[in-house]
Amino acid sequence: MLDVWSWICELPYSDEWAESDSPFILTLASSSASKKNSAREIQLRAERTFMSESDVSLTFSVCIDGFESLEPQKAMWVSDTCLLSSEKPFLPLVLQLLQEIITRSPTVHDSACPRSQLQKLKPEPISWIMDSHSPESFSSFFNLLFLTRLFWSCACDAPSVVGSFYFNSVLSPNIEALTCNHAPVLRTFLENVGVDAELSFMRTLGYITAKWLILREVGVGLQTIAPLPDQQLGLSYATEAHGFWILKGYAPISAMKVTRSNEHNGKFPIIEAKESVLRYALAHQQLEAVIQLEYSVVFHDGYIQVNARVDNLRFHVAKLGFKRNDDMEFNEERHFPSRVRVWVGPEVGSTYVAGMTLGRSTNNGEREVETQRILKGNYGNTKIPKVKARARMTTKTRMRNWRWDQDVEGNAAVFDAVLCDNTTGQELPTWKCDNNGDGGSRSFRNRYSGANRPFTKSGGLVFGRDAYGDGVTWRLSREMEGSVLKWRIGGQIWLSYWPNNVKSSYFETRCIDWCDEVDLPLIAGK
C-alpha cells in the first residue's frame, strides 16, 4: 500500500536532508522500458527553499516522465509552500488537497448547492483531526486524499496514456484505499466538515470508483492485475447525536452486488451502440442514503425502557457528471429503490434485555365486495308474465406502492419496506422481466412524473413519520443505569433498474449491506 504521508513527515529527519540540496523523489509508479516505449514514471518531488538560516520551506510536485509528446519531468500538480518552522508544517498541504478535491467534484443535475457556493474549509477542524489521531491512522486518510487528487491530474488533465498508466499502476494496486473501512479519520472528517462538503467529497470518490469499475469490466487489462478488494467499495458510518441514531451510506451503483439481471456473464456483452451508451450512463450513478432513527430512554422503578422509531429514511440516486446536458436522452434513466430493510437493536449476545415490543401488526389487507341485483318484471296483458333478473358483483382492493412490515431477529427490530406494482401486487425486487424490449411493468414507465408516482421528481425516496411512525420498545435491566451501551444499526438497500423513457430489455436489481455501532447512553437527565 502506498504510504505518502510517512515519507513526507520523515523528510526533515532523513540522512539526505543535510547531505544534498537535490529534490527528494518518491516514485509512485514505474514501468520498465520496452522496444515500443521508454521507461515511464510518476514521481512525487519535494524541493527545499531556504527562506533564511533557520526557515526552510518545502514545495511538492507530481511529475511524469517517459511519455511521448510530453516534456521530461513535466509537473502535473504543484503544492502550496509548507513552512517547516510552523507548528503544523504540512497542514497547508492537507487543506489544499481537500479544497481541490471538493472544488472539482462532479455536479449533480438540479443541485440546490452548487460548488461555487461552498465556502473554503476552515483549518481548525482539520488541525484537530491531525492532533486527535495517530500518525498511522492519519496516514491512510492522507493517502486517500493524495490518490484522489492524483486522479484529477493524471486521468483528467493529462493525455489518455497517462490516465491509463495511473489506473493500472497507481490506483489498482491501492484500490483498497477507496473502501474507506480502514480509515477512521475519514469518518471524523465527514462528521466535522459539514454535509455539503461531505457530499462533494463522496461524489468524487464515487466517480473515481465508477471509472475504475468500468475499465475493469470492459477488460482493458485491469481484470488480471486488479482483483476486486475484500471490502465493498464505498463508505458507511453511524453516529449518535441529539436523540438520533444516524447511519449514512454511499455506494457507487456498479460496486453493488447484482441479485437479479438478464445478463449472466458479468461483463458488457456485445450490444448496440445506443444500449452501450445507456449502460455507460447507468454506471455513473451513486446511492446516497440516510437512515435516521429517533430514540428515547425512560427510567421506571423496576426497568429502563428504550424507545425507537423511524424518523427519516432518505435515498437518493445521484447521477455523476460534469455538464448539465450530459446524456440528455438518458437523463431520466436511473436506478430506483425497490426494497429497504433497516434493523436496530442491542449487540449480539447481550443479556440485559428482558423483552421487546413491536409497534405494528402484520398487514391485513382490505377488500371491498359490492353486490348489485336488478329484478325487472312485466305483467301487462300478456298471458305469461315476463321476469328478468340480473346480478353483478364488483371487488375493490386498496393497494399502495410500498408495503411495510415490522419483524424481529433476536433482540433487533427490523423495519422492512418493499415496492409493489399497485396493479398486480407483485414485488419488484423479485420480478423477472421478459426480454421483449418492453422492460417490465408498464405501470413503472414514466415513474418520475404524474400524480401517482412513487418517487420524488429527482428519482429519490423519502419515508417520514407520516408514512411510518410506528416504533418499537425494549425493556432493560435497571442495573444498566449509568452505562453507555453499544447498539447495532444497519441497512440493506435494493436498487432496481427498468427502462423509464427508452425502449430496452435491460433490467437488473442490485443490493448493498451496511452495519455499524452507535452509542446508547443510559444516563438519567441526559
Side-chain angles (χ1 to χ4, degrees):
M1 179 70 72
L2 194 65
D3 191 359
V4 180
W5 180 248
S6 298
W7 180 79
I8 290 176
C9 293
E10 293 171 1
L11 281 178
Y13 310 102
S14 64
D15 296 335
E16 301 176 2
W17 184 262
E19 298 175 359
S20 174
D21 294 333
S22 302
F24 300 93
I25 298 176
L26 173 64
T27 301
L28 304 174
S30 62
S31 67
S32 54
S34 63
K35 293 182 179 180
K36 295 182 179 180
N37 300 312
S38 57
R40 296 172 174 174
E41 283 190 342
I42 299 180
Q43 301 173 344
L44 174 63
R45 301 167 67 91
E47 298 189 26
R48 286 179 294 180
T49 301
F50 293 91
M51 315 292 290
S52 63
E53 292 184 1
S54 58
D55 288 342
V56 181
S57 65
L58 275 176
T59 303
F60 299 93
S61 60
V62 174
C63 301
I64 57 176
D65 192 25
F67 294 90
E68 297 180 4
S69 72
L70 294 176
E71 60 185 75
Q73 299 295 328
K74 179 176 176 57
M76 300 299 299
W77 174 81
V78 180
S79 75
D80 296 333
T81 300
C82 300
L83 192 62
L84 296 184
S85 60
S86 63
E87 183 180 355
K88 290 184 174 58
F90 302 121
L91 176 60
L93 175 63
V94 178
L95 282 170
Q96 180 185 357
L97 291 173
L98 285 170
Q99 194 68 54
E100 292 177 355
I101 290 171
I102 291 173
T103 302
R104 299 192 60 168
S105 67
T107 58
V108 175
H109 295 287
D110 301 323
S111 174
C113 180
R115 294 173 304 178
S116 59
Q117 296 182 8
L118 284 175
Q119 299 179 353
K120 286 190 176 182
L121 295 176
K122 296 180 180 179
E124 291 80 10
I126 309 303
S127 176
W128 176 80
I129 291 173
M130 295 175 68
D131 290 337
S132 58
H133 292 82
S134 65
E136 294 79 10
S137 182
F138 188 82
S139 177
S140 60
F141 176 63
F142 183 86
N143 293 333
L144 173 63
L145 299 184
F146 190 78
L147 282 173
T148 304
R149 182 60 185 89
L150 200 60
F151 167 82
W152 298 123
S153 298
C154 295
C156 299
D157 300 337
S160 59
V161 64
V162 180
S164 178
F165 186 72
Y166 165 82
F167 277 108
N168 283 277
S169 302
V170 180
L171 184 60
S172 293
N174 299 282
I175 195 62
E176 289 283 350
L178 296 184
T179 62
C180 304
N181 291 336
H182 66 286
V185 185
L186 178 59
R187 297 186 176 203
T188 308
F189 166 72
L190 295 179
E191 291 174 11
N192 290 274
V193 76
V195 67
D196 296 319
E198 174 183 340
L199 285 174
S200 296
F201 187 88
M202 292 308 302
R203 284 167 182 170
T204 297
L205 295 187
Y207 186 78
I208 296 173
T209 304
K211 290 294 186 186
W212 183 81
L213 289 170
I214 289 173
L215 292 176
R216 188 181 182 278
E217 287 298 316
V218 298
V220 292
L222 287 178
Q223 288 177 318
T224 55
I225 65 173
L228 289 174
D230 296 333
Q231 301 288 341
Q232 62 187 15
L233 294 167
L235 170 72
S236 67
Y237 70 97
T239 59
E240 180 276 331
H242 309 296
F244 282 138
W245 288 321
I246 303 174
L247 174 65
K248 290 187 176 183
Y250 301 88
I253 299 296
S254 48
M256 298 172 64
K257 180 182 177 182
V258 177
T259 60
R260 187 171 292 270
S261 173
N262 58 351
E263 299 294 341
H264 304 289
N265 55 8
K267 301 179 182 179
F268 286 110
I270 300 176
I271 53 179
E272 297 180 358
K274 189 174 182 179
E275 185 90 353
S276 179
V277 176
L278 171 63
R279 306 281 186 95
Y280 185 80
L282 293 175
H284 288 82
Q285 297 179 356
Q286 176 168 268
L287 170 63
E288 300 170 353
V290 176
I291 297 172
Q292 187 168 289
L293 307 179
E294 183 183 41
Y295 80 93
S296 62
V297 179
V298 182
F299 294 87
H300 296 275
D301 290 340
Y303 61 92
I304 302 173
Q305 181 171 307
V306 178
N307 309 306
R309 67 173 179 175
V310 171
D311 179 76
N312 252 212
L313 303 179
R314 304 191 295 270
F315 306 97
H316 179 61
V317 179
K319 295 174 71 76
L320 307 177
F322 287 93
K323 294 180 181 179
R324 190 171 292 274
N325 295 325
D326 276 356
D327 303 322
M328 284 300 294
E329 185 178 358
F330 305 105
N331 197 31
E332 295 297 321
E333 303 301 318
R334 68 178 71 208
H335 290 72
F336 57 88
S338 55
R339 186 182 176 188
V340 176
R341 190 170 183 266
V342 176
W343 62 90
V344 64
E347 56 188 350
V348 177
S350 59
T351 58
Y352 51 79
V353 178
M356 66 176 299
T357 303
L358 301 181
R360 167 169 290 208
S361 303
T362 303
N363 185 43
N364 189 13
E366 298 180 17
R367 188 167 67 171
E368 297 181 1
V369 178
E370 179 181 311
T371 304
Q372 186 180 37
R373 291 185 176 88
I374 301 175
L375 181 65
K376 293 182 180 181
N378 184 5
Y379 290 92
N381 297 324
T382 59
K383 295 181 179 180
I384 301 176
K386 297 179 180 179
V387 179
K388 295 182 179 180
R390 184 175 60 183
R392 184 177 62 182
M393 184 175 67
T394 60
T395 302
K396 296 181 181 180
T397 303
R398 296 180 181 179
M399 300 183 67
R400 295 183 176 182
N401 290 115
W402 288 91
R403 175 192 166 103
W404 273 98
D405 288 304
Q406 205 174 86
D407 206 346
V408 62
E409 289 186 5
N411 281 326
V414 180
F415 306 93
D416 202 339
V418 181
L419 180 62
C420 303
D421 188 327
N422 56 13
T423 58
T424 65
Q426 189 162 359
E427 296 181 355
L428 266 72
T430 58
W431 194 329
K432 185 174 182 180
C433 305
D434 297 327
N435 293 328
N436 54 8
D438 193 24
S441 173
R442 293 183 180 273
S443 62
F444 276 88
R445 279 193 171 273
N446 301 312
R447 53 183 171 266
Y448 308 122
S449 59
N452 297 321
R453 51 185 166 84
F455 306 104
T456 64
K457 288 291 289 184
S458 61
L461 176 67
V462 178
F463 290 123
R465 296 182 184 180
D466 58 335
Y468 192 87
D470 303 310
V472 295
T473 61
W474 294 264
R475 293 196 177 188
L476 280 59
S477 170
R478 190 67 193 241
E479 297 176 356
M480 305 307 296
E481 182 178 356
S483 59
V484 178
L485 305 178
K486 290 293 184 182
W487 275 35
R488 295 174 293 149
I489 182 172
Q492 196 171 10
I493 317 300
W494 284 260
L495 295 183
S496 299
Y497 172 74
W498 287 359
N500 186 45
N501 290 331
V502 300
K503 186 174 182 180
S504 173
S505 61
Y506 180 66
F507 72 90
E508 70 173 6
T509 296
R510 293 175 178 264
C511 183
I512 188 74
D513 289 274
W514 293 312
C515 189
D516 211 326
E517 289 184 341
V518 288
D519 290 335
L520 173 60
L522 300 179
I523 302 173
K526 188 179 186 311

